Amino acid sequence: MAAPARTPEQETARTSFRDELRAAIREALRADERVFLMGEDVGSYGGAFGVSLGLLEEFGPERIRDTPLSESGFVGAGIGAAIAGMRPIVEIMTINFSLLALDQILNNAATLLHMSGGQVGVPVVIRMTTGAGRQLAAQHSHSLEGWYAGIPGIRVLSPGTLQDARHMLAPALADPDPVVIFEHGSLYNATGPAVPPPASYDIVSAAVRRAGNDVSLICHGGSLPKVLAAADALAAEGISADVVDLRSLRPLDGATIAGSVARTHRAVVVDEGWRTGGLSAEIAAQIAELAFYELDAPVERVCGAEVPVPYPKHLEDAALPAIVDIMAAARRTVG
Amino acid sequence: MPSLGADMTEGSLVEWLVQPGDTVVKGQAVAVVDTAKSAIEVECFEDGAIQELLVEPGTTVPVGTVLAVLADGGRTDAPAGATDTGETAETTNTAEAGKTVETIKAAEAAKATDSTKATGAADTAKTTERTAARTTPLVRRLAHDRHVDLDSVRGSGKAGRVTRADVEAASRDSGRIRATPYARRTASELGVDLRGIDGTGTDGTIRARDVRAAASGPTTPARPASPAPAAAPRPAVSPEPPAPDGHAQARRQAIAHLMSKSKHEIPHYYLSTTIDLAAAVAWMREHNRAVPVAERLVPAALLLKAAAVAARKVPEMNGFWIDGGHVRPAAVHLGVAVSLREGGLVAPALHDADTLSLPALMAGLRDLVRRARTGRLRASETADPTITVTDLGDQGVEAVFGVIYPPQVALVGYGRVLDRPVAVDGLLGVRPCVTATLSADHRAGDGAVGARYLATVDRLLHHPEDL
Amino acid sequence: MTSARQNDVQEPAHPRADRDGEAATEPSEQTKHLLDLAGQMLLIRAFEERCVELYSSGAIRGFIHLYIGEEAVAVGVNAALSPDDAVVSTYREHGHALARGVPPEAVMAEMYGKATGCSHGRGGSMHLFDAGRRFYGGNAIVGGGLPIAAGLALADKMADRSRVTCCFFGDGAVAEGEFHETANLAALWDLPLLLVCENNLYAMGTPLAHEHAQTDLAMRAASYGMPAWAVDGMDVVAVEKAARRAVDGILAGNGPHFLEMRTYRFRAHSMYDPDRYRDKAEIERWRERDPIPLLMRRLPAGTADLPEMTERATAAVDRAVKAAQEAPVEPVADLLRFVTHEGA
């Protein structure tokens, strides 16, 4: 999957996670007239997180569709439009509101192909913002990616890098089955150098973002920057961390996870969701299944605290995985 | 009894709305039944006359039970309440009135569409299941409370059952060994006994580095589980050269240390005898003709069994030399030398080899070799051999004079089974023969005892039917 | 938008029969059409009646919701649709599927759970699908199909295709948020969506007045800014006429239309429902307006041989049952098929 060629200016420019998402949507809209974006405030507002700024002016209201506050209604409409040949990108403002559309996503998008015995495919892409950290309190701070990652019939992605922000959308749109993409709210402002076109690219493999031998730090999305920072700090203590960015939450890349644990013999899973029955539990179970005889310490998990996310900063910080927590967990495995 | 809901399995007849002799039409309510949720009228689907009511009011019957017989004088279909599944449609076309009714199909047909037989075929029962099968819940609870790993406990009860006494003994002896999976694997690869290793992990958990430290350190544990390689001209190496990694090196060092210790401490003497295997081979061929390929025996099975049984009959060859005395355990756990692909040997135990039937011994041997080569041995296997056999027949040597693995007192060696010219009853014949050797600890016994042992092996192999 | 209790019925033009019963000329187009509608309703009726038996005997399992009494709605609306239009329905969808042309063999096999079922046996009674006939289920969540129907219509609008999406749902669904979100969205975006509410006066066991503060459902739909009116759902001629009017309006670009079909189910909500919440006298009153005899009475004397037509319908159902009985099941090894396209 090759990205379009870049100018020299583009090569040296800096870009942001948000800019890359927008560029991806723009490219998709230009490349295929079946593609359109729909969701609350994606048009004249430019997107609740500014992702679609300028797109309404470029593509018009038919293809950049503002919807009423009807999550179930417009997600279902996106599903129906996909069935009938369009390639909608449905934006649900946040994962918190997606609960209103969960019936359409689970009972229809994920299930129609099977219920119809293979007749009715749903090639819809659903994007949602997820995560906490901006003192938005309990109802606006959920990380429920683990729930979605448990649903057979859909693909779940979690971009954590600028490159993935840019390049996950096209293969997601090309997938004949539903794809749900989670964008952590804290990543939109992340900046970096312009994204080089990937030599080879897929949306199924986890990526080792930093190679190490002493402990595997397994994470995704918004946790990736924290984990990389923890890895840097651990290196100064003589602990070399192998950082695995999951990228795909369903399916999980068990081979890469197990390969990392086979090298390091220790694992720490970092996920902002709640640990009980969450994504971290699934990953720990897969490590036990695939790499039990490699483990030299119990698998550690660093997750959101079992509490609705509180408003005041000091409590919110305490409720979410922190760099010091990740480091402490790594140290415990190394002993 | 009709099915009136997805979860209905039975219903009770409340009352009949018709009597024998009444004429009924299709769709007419003929009975009231009570289900778990409410009372419902049951309709019949044919015109006809009620011939016989089969179920009394107040009775509860499974869905599908025939409730009554209709006579219609014409086409006879399934009577009221009878089942009509896709697979077993039995529409008879007899024209006589009053045809006998179908037998009760019970809930079988009603459930046929949704019942799936759970055919859980366990190919190889997991160890824990096997262990669970030979222990009582009380014993399992005791083992759990005492932190005893049941898999490592030898059952002294009937058919190998682990008894309470076994668990109590085990918990006195060893206590539970806390080691990570990686440490255990490393230990079995290096042939290191986990007992006696101080763990540096949480709660004293043994970790891989502790195992490696123990394997390469100067002080070896009291009963290390390292192999006895042969001192024969052709060294016992695995087909591929050992991988140039730390594991192989550490393993080599461990073997080197142990062999030095053995030679340093144990005064070896060596005996050898050539055994006529004609009877054994003939018997084996007869046996193999009668059984499927998977159950056929190979000569090694007989050789191993003979070595084990002989150790029971000549207990001076069984057990350990510890602190100036010979410790003779009751059981014979036959250590079997297994070469590893990456280089090196392990000699894990076939427990109670003298009591195993030949097929069981072969199966046990195969399993042991497989697990030895994949690093899945249990601690009890590496720690328990009471006498060891090294069979290098496959490698082509005629005789093996091995190094005893301390603290055992004997090592049995077998070479290749060869056809030899032999004088029998004054005539020259050709017989399959094998050279059996004994390396024995002179502290524990003299040459006469060793000779008695080999003679016993010889005798046993002349009566393979008794093995 | 006023509610019409009954539409004027035009007498079909027909020649007078001879004394000995022979028609002097061919039956008119109108008569042929009505005979066709009658045949469709008889097929649905025979099919559903047979389902009662088959469910009681355990051949069909799970939930089953019968359409007996409501046949005129499915048949009449479908008569106004073209094969290119899309239909989304509910769990009471056997009638809609059969009217759409899904073969009885495929529907019966689906309920037998056989591989030849219209959904490969995977769905059962509540999940009938036939993508080739643009029949998109079969939805077990009340109101769940409405947003999807809006989406199908949206795609047609965006791609400039002149066709209609018809969504069937019940009076109970009008209480679900998804109805209101869909009605609003459809009216807001001018979607070519035909909303057909089958008001059979009961949402499972709850009568209309206990379900809705405002029971005039057509009026409530109209409040979203779309043409909406009520129709005598027992009269297939009235149903077809109303549906045609709505479809014409939609294709003319007037946005979504709502039809409240006033109908009644003669049997309980599902097979396992003691039907305690309805007065037997009420059921009898509605039975007097059984859509099939109602239509038969319209037909000119001598044009319809009801016993023969009934026999034909029964025979079709017999064939469907036999085919279903003989059809194979999917092997268990194929369990994980159809979850994604990779596994299909």
Side-chain angles (χ1 to χ4, degrees):
Chain A
M1 178 134 289
R6 290 171 171 267
T7 66
E9 292 80 7
Q10 286 172 327
E11 288 296 343
T12 55
R14 285 191 73 79
T15 181
S16 72
F17 195 85
R18 173 188 293 110
D19 292 342
E20 293 304 304
L21 289 171
R22 184 184 313 120
I25 297 172
R26 181 183 286 120
E27 275 163 11
L29 287 160
R30 284 181 184 162
D32 186 344
E33 60 184 14
R34 300 173 301 171
V35 176
F36 68 99
L37 174 68
M38 110 170 139
E40 293 161 6
D41 292 317
V42 297
S44 15
Y45 194 94
F49 299 94
V51 172
S52 47
L53 268 171
L55 295 184
L56 175 65
E57 289 75 12
E58 183 175 347
F59 295 99
E62 283 288 304
R63 299 189 74 196
I64 307 293
R65 249 171 210 271
D66 280 323
T67 66
L69 271 66
S70 305
E71 278 75 8
S72 182
F74 70 75
V75 170
I79 293 167
I83 292 171
M86 305 299 289
R87 290 292 182 271
I89 304 170
V90 180
E91 178 175 309
I92 305 181
M93 195 180 284
T94 76
I95 195 172
N96 308 287
F97 317 144
S98 75
L99 300 176
L100 295 161
L102 201 43
D103 175 63
Q104 290 296 324
I105 296 172
L106 170 55
N107 276 324
N108 285 328
T111 311
L112 276 166
L113 184 69
H114 184 264
M115 281 195 298
S116 65
Q119 295 177 77
V120 180
V122 182
V124 70
V125 172
I126 301 174
R127 291 175 40 243
M128 310 181 205
T129 301
T130 183
R134 284 152 293 145
Q135 293 188 257
L136 299 181
Q139 292 177 338
H140 275 65
S141 303
H142 292 307
S143 284
L144 302 170
E145 300 89 291
W147 288 10
Y148 286 93
I151 300 174
I154 63 173
R155 188 184 291 284
V156 177
L157 302 175
S158 179
T161 62
L162 301 188
Q163 185 183 67
D164 284 336
R166 178 61 171 270
H167 294 292
M168 275 186 167
L169 183 63
L173 281 166
D175 194 322
D177 295 311
V179 180
V180 182
I181 306 179
F182 291 105
E183 302 157 8
H184 197 279
S186 66
L187 290 178
Y188 288 119
N189 290 331
T191 57
V195 178
S200 68
Y201 192 82
D202 68 60
I203 51 173
V204 291
S205 315
V208 176
R209 298 297 183 195
R210 182 199 176 95
N213 289 312
D214 295 327
V215 59
S216 300
L217 304 179
I218 301 162
C219 65
H220 70 95
S223 299
L224 182 60
K226 290 185 205 174
V227 170
L228 288 169
D232 283 341
L234 286 167
E237 295 176 20
I239 298 174
S240 133
D242 208 50
V243 176
V244 177
D245 175 7
L246 292 167
R247 301 177 68 242
S248 168
L249 304 185
R250 184 180 186 97
L252 282 170
D253 181 359
T256 301
I257 295 170
S260 173
V261 176
R263 280 196 296 284
T264 65
H265 307 290
R266 294 165 203 91
V268 175
V269 183
V270 182
D271 175 47
E272 201 173 290
W274 296 307
R275 59 188 281 125
T276 305
L279 183 66
S280 62
E282 170 63 24
I283 296 168
Q286 288 209 15
I287 292 174
E289 284 159 1
L290 301 171
F292 180 76
Y293 294 100
E294 301 295 348
L295 287 173
D296 210 22
V299 174
E300 292 268 349
R301 296 188 282 168
V302 182
C303 300
E306 307 269 307
V307 64
V309 178
Y311 158 69
K313 178 145 180 55
H314 69 294
L315 287 184
E316 185 183 48
D317 288 346
L320 303 176
I323 295 176
V324 291
D325 299 327
I326 300 166
M327 294 176 66
R331 282 193 214 100
R332 280 194 297 274
T333 66
V334 174
Chain B
M1 178 63 62
S3 172
L4 292 168
D7 51 357
M8 178 180 165
T9 57
E10 61 183 20
S12 52
L13 180 65
V14 175
E15 61 168 318
W16 282 110
L17 300 174
V18 294
Q19 297 174 31
D22 287 352
T23 309
V24 293
V25 294
K26 176 176 171 173
Q28 178 176 345
V30 295
V32 179
V33 309
D34 204 2
T35 70
K37 295 182 188 172
S38 61
I40 295 190
E41 285 179 355
V42 172
E43 65 189 278
C44 68
F45 298 111
E46 296 290 333
D47 298 340
I50 302 289
Q51 181 181 322
E52 191 187 350
L53 303 177
L54 296 177
V55 176
E56 286 288 312
T59 319
T60 301
V61 292
V63 166
T65 308
V66 179
L67 298 177
V69 182
L70 277 185
D72 59 4
R75 192 166 66 94
T76 307
D77 285 337
T83 59
D84 176 30
T85 64
E87 292 80 8
T88 60
E90 291 179 27
T91 312
T92 55
N93 281 317
T94 55
E96 309 100 278
K99 194 85 174 91
T100 47
V101 69
E102 306 170 90
T103 52
I104 293 175
K105 295 192 187 78
E108 205 181 315
K111 288 178 184 164
T113 44
D114 61 9
S115 73
T116 47
K117 273 201 168 56
T119 54
D123 302 333
T124 47
K126 297 196 183 106
T127 305
T128 46
E129 286 168 24
R130 245 188 304 184
T131 306
R134 56 185 182 97
T135 56
T136 62
L138 192 65
V139 170
R140 289 202 286 280
R141 177 63 195 275
L142 183 67
H144 175 263
D145 291 344
R146 299 280 183 95
H147 302 294
V148 169
D149 179 5
L150 274 175
D151 288 350
S152 66
V153 177
R154 283 185 306 292
S156 65
K158 208 162 47 166
R161 287 183 95 80
V162 176
T163 66
R164 189 194 179 97
D166 293 330
V167 172
E168 284 170 346
S171 76
R172 271 196 307 272
D173 288 350
S174 59
R176 178 175 158 75
I177 298 178
R178 274 176 75 95
T180 70
Y182 185 47
R184 287 180 186 275
R185 204 188 86 193
T186 307
S188 92
E189 282 171 4
L190 298 184
V192 173
D193 186 354
L194 285 170
R195 276 178 293 208
I197 298 182
D198 286 325
T200 59
T202 328
D203 291 341
T205 303
I206 298 169
R207 296 187 291 175
R209 75 183 68 137
D210 307 323
V211 173
R212 278 191 219 106
S216 58
T219 50
T220 50
R223 293 172 54 182
S226 54
R234 260 189 67 177
V237 290
S238 48
E240 305 142 85
D245 69 324
H247 286 168
Q249 279 177 20
R251 209 178 307 127
R252 205 69 248 162
Q253 278 176 13
I255 296 169
H257 180 88
L258 208 63
M259 291 301 100
S260 306
K261 179 176 148 107
S262 175
K263 278 286 167 164
H264 182 73
E265 291 178 2
I266 303 178
H268 284 59
Y269 72 86
Y270 303 96
L271 298 177
S272 134
T273 187
T274 301
I275 301 177
D276 182 342
L277 284 183
V281 168
W283 176 88
M284 194 184 71
R285 286 213 185 99
E286 269 307 304
H287 174 270
N288 284 347
R289 247 200 286 276
V291 299
V293 176
E295 293 173 31
R296 287 182 188 161
L297 301 173
V298 293
L302 288 92
L303 298 177
L304 292 179
K305 182 76 184 285
V309 174
R312 186 180 74 226
K313 290 180 184 289
V314 186
E316 291 88 335
M317 292 294 117
N318 193 40
F320 318 105
W321 187 261
I322 295 180
D323 293 335
H326 185 186
V327 177
R328 295 186 199 179
V332 174
H333 303 313
L334 194 70
V336 180
V338 179
S339 67
L340 300 178
R341 290 204 182 88
E342 321 84 77
L345 289 185
V346 287
L350 264 176
H351 288 105
D352 297 305
D354 57 318
T355 66
L356 296 174
S357 70
L358 284 168
L361 190 147
M362 273 207 48
L365 178 67
R366 237 185 262 123
D367 176 57
L368 204 64
V369 170
R370 179 184 58 81
R371 283 188 295 107
R373 293 205 168 126
T374 56
R376 298 268 192 278
L377 291 174
R378 301 177 205 121
S380 62
E381 286 163 339
T382 50
D384 289 349
T386 57
I387 177 172
T388 299
V389 171
T390 176
D391 182 347
L392 285 170
D394 289 342
Q395 302 292 340
V397 295
E398 288 182 12
V400 175
F401 295 92
V403 180
I404 297 168
Y405 132 34
Q408 293 169 33
V409 297
L411 175 87
V412 181
Y414 286 112
R416 215 162 99 219
V417 176
L418 283 172
D419 279 340
R420 286 182 188 279
V422 170
V424 182
D425 295 332
L427 292 173
L428 203 60
V430 175
R431 305 268 197 150
C433 295
V434 68
T435 300
T437 58
L438 179 69
S439 310
D441 185 338
H442 219 309
R443 298 172 296 181
D446 305 324
V449 174
R452 191 150 41 88
Y453 176 84
L454 280 181
T456 307
V457 172
D458 192 326
R459 205 171 44 247
L460 288 167
L461 286 168
H462 273 86
H463 296 282
E465 62 280 2
D466 294 334
L467 276 176
Chain C
M1 304 292 153
T2 57
S3 63
R5 281 255 163 241
Q6 205 136 2
N7 291 300
D8 293 333
V9 177
Q10 291 172 322
E11 282 296 316
H14 62 275
R16 296 219 172 269
D18 276 353
R19 196 152 299 179
D20 49 358
E22 276 180 48
T25 57
E26 275 287 297
S28 67
E29 282 308 306
Q30 170 72 339
T31 303
K32 278 198 223 166
H33 178 65
L34 294 182
L35 283 168
D36 177 44
L37 298 183
Q40 289 184 48
M41 290 201 287
L42 282 164
L43 175 64
I44 297 172
R45 180 66 60 93
F47 189 96
E48 297 290 80
E49 295 282 7
R50 182 64 59 85
C51 283
V52 177
E53 234 182 288
L54 295 172
Y55 191 89
S56 297
S57 73
I60 301 174
R61 310 280 300 168
F63 282 147
I64 191 167
H65 308 85
L66 299 168
Y67 204 62
I68 297 168
E70 304 189 24
E71 294 89 348
V73 178
V75 171
V77 171
N78 188 72
L81 298 174
S82 71
D84 207 30
D85 294 327
V87 174
V88 178
S89 183
T90 66
Y91 48 72
R92 196 182 299 282
E93 88 276 36
H94 301 175
H96 305 131
L98 292 170
R100 195 76 185 130
V102 181
E105 284 80 0
V107 180
M108 189 60 75
E110 183 59 35
M111 292 197 289
Y112 269 69
K114 300 297 186 83
T116 52
C118 54
S119 301
H120 219 80
R122 294 264 170 165
S125 165
M126 295 192 290
H127 302 300
L128 305 177
F129 288 84
D130 187 336
R133 291 184 170 85
R134 303 208 76 217
F135 185 79
Y136 295 105
N139 199 302
I141 306 291
V142 174
L146 280 154
I148 296 183
L152 293 167
L154 174 64
D156 285 340
K157 184 169 168 83
M158 293 182 79
D160 240 334
R161 286 184 291 253
S162 179
R163 57 190 190 183
V164 166
T165 300
C166 171
C167 187
F168 292 98
F169 53 95
D171 47 283
V174 177
E176 288 281 354
E178 281 175 309
F179 167 78
H180 299 276
E181 292 187 20
T182 301
N184 180 47
L185 203 63
L188 187 67
W189 289 348
D190 266 328
L191 300 181
L193 181 62
L194 175 60
L195 296 165
V196 180
C197 175
E198 295 178 314
N199 181 2
N200 59 19
L201 301 180
Y202 293 87
M204 202 159 91
T206 308
L208 197 66
H210 291 193
E211 183 92 15
H212 298 283
Q214 168 56 263
T215 55
D216 188 333
L217 302 181
M219 179 177 90
R220 290 169 69 194
S223 74
Y224 289 103
M226 69 177 79
W229 65 98
V231 181
D232 178 5
M234 305 311 262
D235 180 350
V236 70
V237 171
V239 170
E240 183 184 350
K241 181 166 174 183
R244 282 198 188 280
R245 191 165 135 206
V247 167
D248 289 344
I250 293 169
L251 291 174
N254 296 334
H257 284 49
F258 177 97
L259 297 175
E260 179 193 332
M261 296 290 175
R262 301 212 169 142
T263 180
Y264 200 82
R265 51 170 165 82
F266 296 155
R267 285 201 171 251
H269 166 74
S270 68
M271 267 309 294
Y272 191 40
D273 172 12
D275 210 359
R276 279 187 296 242
Y277 46 86
R278 298 199 297 185
D279 182 15
K280 295 273 183 280
E282 178 189 84
I283 303 175
E284 281 315 305
R285 274 200 310 275
W286 279 90
R287 277 197 187 272
E288 287 163 20
R289 304 206 69 244
D290 187 324
I292 296 176
L294 198 68
L295 176 61
M296 300 313 290
R297 284 198 286 277
R298 275 193 206 291
L299 289 162
T303 52
D305 180 355
L306 184 57
E308 188 263 333
M309 293 171 74
T310 308
E311 179 58 44
R312 226 181 318 133
T314 307
V317 174
D318 287 341
R319 283 196 298 278
V321 173
K322 185 163 189 295
Q325 288 170 344
E326 291 168 1
V329 289
E330 271 193 284
V332 175
D334 283 355
L335 174 65
L336 298 179
R337 287 184 73 192
F338 307 125
V339 178
T340 63
H341 277 75
E342 274 174 13

